Amino acid sequence: VISNWIQVNKNCGLNDIKLVTHEKNGGTCKNLNDGIRASSGKWIKILAADDMLVADAIENFVLFSNQQNCHFSICNCNILCDSLELKEKLEQTYRYFFNTVKYPFKKKQKKILFEYTYPGPCYFFSREMYDSIKGFDERYDLAEEWPFVFHAIKCGYDIKALDKKLVDYRFQSFSLSHSILISSRLLNGNILFYNQERKPALIKKRMFLRVLHQNYMYYLLKKYNGKRICVLLKYLSPFSLAERVAYYLGSKKKGFEN
């Protein structure tokens, strides 16, 4: 289908389109790397098959990146969903996500160790940065986003927030990407990433409570993934309670200091 479409539209200024195919699915990270390495532009915008860009998205991204002198930016987005209730929840979550992009760089450096809040559909980055961090880490199969941002921040690349809705992000609860099989592979990739990179970084920074909490959470997800008891046990976790107390005391102390 795609080959035919390219052939039909080759005289419409689309001569530079390249189709990269595989006989075997090597995972999201490999697919992204193969596609990007087949390209030659200065800027890179990845896009899933069911998402869309607004008409002037690339123009806005490039202009913003040049004005901010940045290699990595994340835009706002329109969420398209088959459930109004789910759409409202996703919009609330994304507002929180997008606000974290506005954090100072040092706060991003700390936060990326224990929480991922940078949605992939809205990435825009330079080839220079991509080459510098060696692309998407293929050790983690389907878990392409968190390691990519982690490596970018670790190498000193800040992420800038472009407060325009340039991407239509489609979320379908019944899609393949949210199936139990895919979710399990994604979880395995995130656990491997945690053990290989995040856990050593947390220990190095003496964030031992975070390590205990993450160990416990990944145990729950691995054992009870998709079951309601997982949510219940998460909130009953002594580590989660200790984190909340520590956060409260830290906030109170900051209030006194200010």
Side-chain angles (χ1 to χ4, degrees), residues 43-103:
W43 297 102
I44 298 166
K45 178 73 194 84
I46 56 179
L47 194 69
D50 54 352
D51 298 333
M52 294 186 297
L53 296 176
V54 301
D56 58 350
I58 300 301
E59 179 183 353
N60 274 280
F61 271 125
V62 173
L63 183 63
F64 178 81
S65 299
N66 288 331
Q67 288 174 342
Q68 296 291 320
N69 192 29
C70 68
H71 289 269
F72 196 173
S73 61
I74 293 179
C75 71
N76 211 329
C77 71
N78 297 303
I79 294 177
L80 310 178
C81 187
D82 50 346
S83 163
L84 181 60
E85 183 181 357
L86 181 57
K87 175 182 168 69
E88 290 174 350
K89 289 181 180 179
L90 289 170
E91 286 176 340
Q92 183 179 2
T93 301
Y94 190 84
R95 279 194 294 272
Y96 167 71
F97 283 0
F98 189 69
N99 285 334
T100 65
V101 184
K102 301 174 185 178
Y103 285 173

Side-chain angles (χ1 to χ4, degrees), residues 237-255:
S237 160
F239 307 127
S240 182
L241 179 61
E243 278 196 320
R244 291 174 187 274
V245 171
Y247 177 80
Y248 172 76
L249 293 176
S251 299
K252 200 169 184 181
K253 184 179 178 182
K254 281 185 178 181

